[in-house]
Amino acid sequence: MENLNRRRVLTLGAALGLAGVAAPSTAWAWSSAGSIAGTDAVDDPWGVWDDATDPLVASLLTRGEIPAVNAAMESWVKNGDPLPAAFPSDLTAFLQQHNKLPAWADRAKLDRAARFNERMGLYLFLLYGLGSGIMSTVIPREARNVYWSEGGSDMKARAAKTFTYGYDLSATDAFTPSGHFVVTSNKTRLTHAAVRHLLPQSAPWRAVTDDQDFIPISNGDILITFHSLGTFVYGKLKSWGIRMSAAEETAYLHQWQVALHLLGVRADFIPATWAAAEQQSRYALTPLLAPTPEGVDLAEVLLGLTAQIDLGVTRGFLNEFVRYVLSDRIGDWLGLRRDPVSRGLIQVGWPAYVAFREGLSPLVPEGFSMFDRFVRALAMLFLNNGTSPTYTPITIPTANRPGT
């Protein structure tokens, strides 16, 4: 049985494009020697939350100041924007310390990452949306946390806010004064702290969660999200034969290292190399994937939203592309109906489409226009943040899912 479980993990890891995925141990065993901190310890990230942010936001909620903060945040969008004068003094003091890049951030690498994101745009948005977005529904803790929190009742708005985070990270000016990502990260960090305070008050969430100490969104959970986005996408680009220089690979990782820092992840948990990230994913992603009723419901909502956009393909094709990107096992978990004709077209046509776009084949593949329209429509859905061509505000919640 142990060997069978090991093969299952290896198979799922390979399907997700996570190189070197092996069977996990029963406990966290990733050493911080592979982190940007360069120490040598084995600490469990699922027992670490955000000591700098959690008491602040709990106090803002108790004082009833979150609605006023949300209103003030409407003018705080760009990294170069001044902090709103209407912010409470303790929130201002916190942001004066955290609303900036870490001292170790490398501007040259961030600039190179921006150019890489621009070149990879179509692939990134496809993988972030149909890959990582749907994968999040089979991450049990994430699916339950989303479903039972305030945002779970309006997935169109929730998806738009998620798109905003990914879009702001991928923008060419993400980390410059004209960009949004540093501000968006701090808004997301404050939102996480609010969810940590609110969700433990939800009886339905407490009935289904396995979160340590009944506190959601630990450093470990944020690492899961990183691996379902950054590590997953990196592995897929490699497996598809997308050309990336060593400098581009390093730069793409560096933007995620900075992103993790901005979300409050400790330096001793942030991988220093892609090899270290792939090793960490053995504990923080692949072995933890599983279906939940909440996740199945969320996946259908997300795919339904995507299907509302004119992608030039059928829902059966969309289901099969999700299976192609994530694996049939995940497709079965989510109950995605099979479409053998679409599956055959994708298995043959997608590698040919990528080879032609990358200049690796002079032959225009059959179905090129369909694939091209499909990918570009998904990219536009992402670029439009799901609902708006400009900006989707991220607001701090004050309650859990309505009715709970």
Side-chain angles (χ1 to χ4, degrees):
M1 179 63 70
E2 181 179 350
N3 288 336
L4 176 60
N5 288 335
R6 177 181 174 84
R7 286 197 300 273
R8 285 174 176 168
V9 172
L10 284 165
T11 301
L12 185 55
L16 293 175
L18 300 174
V21 172
S25 67
T26 56
W28 181 264
W30 189 79
S31 169
S32 58
S35 73
I36 61 173
T39 55
D40 189 8
V42 179
D43 292 334
D44 185 352
W46 276 278
V48 176
W49 291 274
D50 192 341
D51 293 341
T53 314
D54 292 345
L56 165 66
V57 176
S59 177
L60 293 173
L61 283 163
T62 300
R63 284 149 38 194
E65 295 189 90
I66 293 299
V69 168
N70 283 334
M73 286 200 308
E74 291 178 6
S75 66
W76 183 47
V77 176
K78 297 180 180 179
N79 300 333
D81 287 342
L83 295 176
F87 275 175
S89 59
D90 49 355
L91 175 59
T92 297
F94 169 83
L95 291 170
Q96 286 173 338
Q97 181 179 357
H98 296 283
N99 189 45
K100 57 187 177 182
L101 296 179
W104 47 264
D106 187 321
R107 290 283 186 176
K109 289 180 181 177
L110 294 177
D111 289 344
R112 185 176 291 114
R115 295 192 297 272
F116 175 75
N117 288 336
E118 187 173 30
R119 183 168 73 86
M120 293 287 107
L122 293 181
Y123 300 126
L124 292 180
F125 295 139
L126 174 122
L127 288 170
Y128 286 153
L130 279 191
S132 304
I134 302 303
M135 192 196 304
S136 70
T137 68
V138 293
I139 300 172
R141 286 185 178 182
E142 184 166 346
R144 291 167 179 147
N145 292 347
V146 168
Y147 186 87
W148 293 110
S149 65
E150 187 178 61
S153 63
D154 185 352
M155 281 306 294
K156 188 171 185 178
R158 175 65 166 72
K161 292 174 183 179
T162 302
F163 286 164
T164 290
Y165 183 87
Y167 172 69
D168 289 349
L169 174 61
S170 302
T172 55
D173 61 352
F175 297 94
T176 69
S178 64
H180 299 168
F181 186 69
V182 177
V183 170
T184 295
S185 294
N186 276 284
K187 289 180 179 179
T188 302
R189 185 174 181 177
L190 293 169
T191 297
H192 286 170
V195 172
R196 288 189 202 99
H197 182 77
L198 294 167
L199 263 185
Q201 302 170 34
S202 167
W205 177 80
R206 288 178 66 90
V208 297
T209 189
D210 63 352
D211 276 87
Q212 188 167 320
D213 299 332
F214 289 105
I215 305 174
I217 318 180
S218 65
N219 269 205
D221 294 306
I222 297 174
L223 290 172
I224 291 176
T225 301
F226 156 62
H227 290 301
S228 72
L229 288 159
T231 309
F232 165 72
V233 168
Y234 171 74
K236 278 297 178 184
L237 293 176
K238 295 282 281 188
S239 69
W240 287 351
I242 307 297
R243 290 173 292 182
M244 298 181 284
S245 69
E248 286 177 324
E249 292 182 13
T250 299
Y252 184 61
L253 174 62
H254 189 64
Q255 72 166 14
W256 280 106
Q257 292 169 334
V258 174
L260 288 170
H261 167 84
L262 292 172
L263 290 176
V265 175
R266 284 184 357 192
D268 55 314
F269 295 138
I270 300 176
T273 64
W274 279 120
E278 289 167 342
Q279 183 189 54
Q280 190 184 80
S281 72
R282 301 174 192 178
Y283 304 99
L285 179 64
T286 311
L288 305 179
L289 299 179
T292 61
E294 295 87 350
V296 171
D297 183 80
L298 293 175
E300 184 55 36
V301 172
L302 288 173
L303 286 171
L305 290 173
T306 305
Q308 292 176 15
I309 308 299
D310 182 11
L311 303 176
V313 298
T314 64
R315 174 60 192 268
F317 182 97
L318 185 61
N319 286 351
E320 286 294 346
F321 206 91
V322 171
R323 286 177 171 273
Y324 179 76
V325 171
L326 290 182
S327 78
D328 281 328
R329 187 182 186 192
I330 290 177
D332 290 343
W333 284 346
L334 297 176
L336 302 183
R337 292 185 179 180
R338 302 304 304 259
D339 185 331
V341 174
S342 293
R343 180 56 172 247
L345 177 61
I346 292 167
Q347 286 181 323
V348 174
W350 180 252
Y353 171 79
V354 171
F356 180 76
R357 285 197 81 249
E358 293 301 299
L360 302 176
S361 170
L363 302 176
V364 179
E366 182 178 353
F368 175 86
S369 60
M370 183 196 66
F371 279 110
D372 210 47
R373 180 179 177 183
F374 171 63
V375 174
R376 291 180 187 278
L378 280 172
M380 288 309 299
L381 171 65
F382 197 105
L383 290 169
N384 288 343
N385 298 324
T387 58
S388 166
T390 52
Y391 185 75
T392 302
I394 294 175
T395 54
I396 303 171
T398 58
N400 293 314
R401 186 183 181 94
T404 64

